[in-house]
Amino acid sequence: MGAKIYKKDFSNLGLRMVASAILIFGIQILGQYIILAINPRWFSDMNIVLAATMIPMYALGYPLAFVILQAGAEKRTIEKHKMKTVQFIMAFLMSYALMMLGNIVGVGVTSGIGFLKGESVDNGLTDIVSNGNIWLTSIYTVLLAPIFEEYMFRKIICDRLVKYGQGMAIIMSGFMFGLFHGNFNQFFYAAAIGFFFAFIYVKTGEIKYTIGLHMMVNFIGSVVGGLLLQNVDLSGDLFRMSPSEMVILALYMLLIYGMVIAGGVLLLANLSKFKLSPGEITIRKGNKFEISIINVGMFIYCELFVLMMIGQALL
């Protein structure tokens, strides 16, 4: 009887996540259709398209999704603990190393798919960062996305699932977060940092820490990386770069590799400290996958986003 109740709980979460995703993406698409109907020429302006999709999504889509996800949900209050400044900096370096590792896997997968289909797989995020106004883009990626995504995938999901143990909350939070991005380019690194952010949240009970970490990671990728893409020609011969471009590229590479190496060393040195506490509800090891994933709601959620990822890669 207990297994059926637990499976129903996960299924309910999955169905609510599906409804939330349809709502959020539907509002984005509606915004694009509106600008297309008003003035088709606006559709070629990346900044206008971003404003028409992101503003309604964050002003209406996510708040409504929060209502859907929290309605009738049985959640737990996670005990709060403070992080010291040194711990926060270490956490940032570790999360950045995980993000880069996941990114390497994602690039490998998309490169393999591109090789098989005979053309590269589009990366919409790179296009936005390269062609949009970097400061306007940063409002969405550095300020809004971390706040709303962390509240949904860490606060709401972890609060609801931590009763099954910190491990279950972490795995489901990171996995669902990775899938939610809807493409292979972002799935692996989003899942990697999603697991780590969920670990930070269940251990501190403070969403402000994961929001801060998320903002810092996105800042390096969207603002620092975006400025590099917009000011340095990376498509040509390295030796034909101007001296200023070579200096910018060298400084950027030193920064990135320095953070990745430092974060990787910290991860290895602190592996023994990543201990997870059980929840008030214990699911036997052999039943965890079946209960958490093999149910109607979660199956639909996974199927929806896996099909989206495949479609994005092949089209």
Side-chain angles (χ1 to χ4, degrees):
M1 184 64 71
K4 291 183 179 180
I5 294 174
Y6 307 152
K7 183 178 285 192
K8 185 177 180 181
D9 190 22
F10 281 97
S11 180
N12 183 274
L13 174 61
L15 290 173
R16 289 178 183 274
M17 283 296 297
V18 169
S20 299
I22 292 173
L23 176 65
I24 290 170
F25 295 138
I27 286 176
Q28 283 185 300
I29 295 171
L30 179 62
Q32 294 179 9
Y33 273 110
I34 289 175
I35 64 169
L36 191 61
I38 295 175
N39 189 339
R41 288 179 296 180
W42 287 353
F43 210 72
S44 60
D45 189 319
M46 180 67 72
N47 297 318
I48 295 178
V49 172
L50 275 176
T53 55
M54 297 298 182
I55 292 175
M57 180 178 74
Y58 288 119
L60 185 61
Y62 269 102
L64 289 176
F66 296 160
V67 173
I68 293 173
L69 290 170
Q70 292 178 312
E74 182 185 358
K75 58 184 181 179
R76 299 292 186 271
T77 299
I78 298 175
E79 187 177 347
K80 298 184 183 297
H81 299 278
K82 290 185 177 181
M83 286 184 74
K84 297 179 181 178
T85 302
V86 174
Q87 292 175 317
F88 183 80
I89 294 172
M90 290 171 61
F92 164 68
L93 293 172
M94 287 188 279
S95 62
Y96 193 80
L98 285 170
M99 189 274 292
M100 290 300 292
L101 178 62
N103 187 54
I104 291 171
V105 176
V107 169
V109 170
T110 53
S111 296
I113 294 173
F115 175 78
L116 291 175
K117 75 172 190 174
E119 59 180 352
S120 62
V121 177
D122 291 333
N123 188 335
L125 182 61
T126 299
D127 294 337
I128 292 172
V129 172
S130 302
N131 302 317
N133 180 284
I134 195 67
W135 304 113
L136 183 61
T137 302
S138 69
I139 293 176
Y140 308 128
T141 59
V142 180
L143 293 179
L144 297 177
I147 294 173
F148 286 88
E149 290 177 359
E150 288 305 306
Y151 191 84
M152 175 182 284
F153 289 95
R154 251 57 71 187
K155 176 66 177 172
I156 293 178
I157 290 180
C158 287
D159 281 359
R160 179 166 181 159
L161 299 182
V162 75
K163 63 187 177 184
Y164 297 107
Q166 293 180 345
M168 180 62 77
I170 290 169
I171 290 172
M172 295 302 294
S173 171
F175 178 64
M176 296 178 78
F177 181 59
L179 284 178
F180 193 78
H181 285 74
N183 62 80
F184 286 109
N185 300 95
Q186 295 176 277
F187 169 75
F188 295 97
Y189 74 73
I193 62 174
F195 294 139
F196 188 74
F197 290 167
F199 173 80
I200 295 294
Y201 177 66
V202 299
K203 289 299 183 182
T204 66
E206 293 281 7
I207 199 68
K208 64 183 179 183
Y209 295 132
T210 64
I211 290 175
L213 292 170
H214 200 151
M215 285 180 171
M216 292 171 71
V217 169
N218 281 12
F219 177 81
I220 298 295
S222 299
V223 177
V224 178
L227 288 172
L228 177 75
L229 290 171
Q230 293 185 5
N231 291 281
V232 177
D233 183 10
L234 300 176
S235 61
D237 190 339
L238 178 65
F239 297 102
R240 293 183 180 179
M241 286 184 178
S242 66
S244 61
E245 287 181 322
M246 293 189 72
V247 169
I248 293 172
L249 180 60
L251 291 174
Y252 177 78
M253 297 305 290
L254 283 172
L255 172 67
I256 298 304
Y257 282 117
M259 291 192 300
V260 169
I261 292 171
V265 170
L266 287 170
L267 277 169
L268 292 174
N270 289 277
L271 277 178
S272 61
K273 297 180 181 179
F274 291 97
K275 296 179 180 180
L276 304 176
S277 301
E280 61 190 74
I281 298 174
T282 301
I283 301 175
R284 290 187 301 176
K285 284 187 177 181
N287 293 346
K288 287 185 177 181
F289 181 77
E290 179 184 353
I291 288 174
S292 62
I293 300 297
I294 308 302
N295 56 70
V296 174
M298 283 298 175
F299 181 80
I300 293 174
Y301 181 83
C302 294
E303 183 180 35
L304 171 67
F305 282 100
V306 168
L307 289 175
M308 186 185 297
M309 291 163 65
I310 294 173
Q312 185 271 339
L314 298 180
L315 297 181

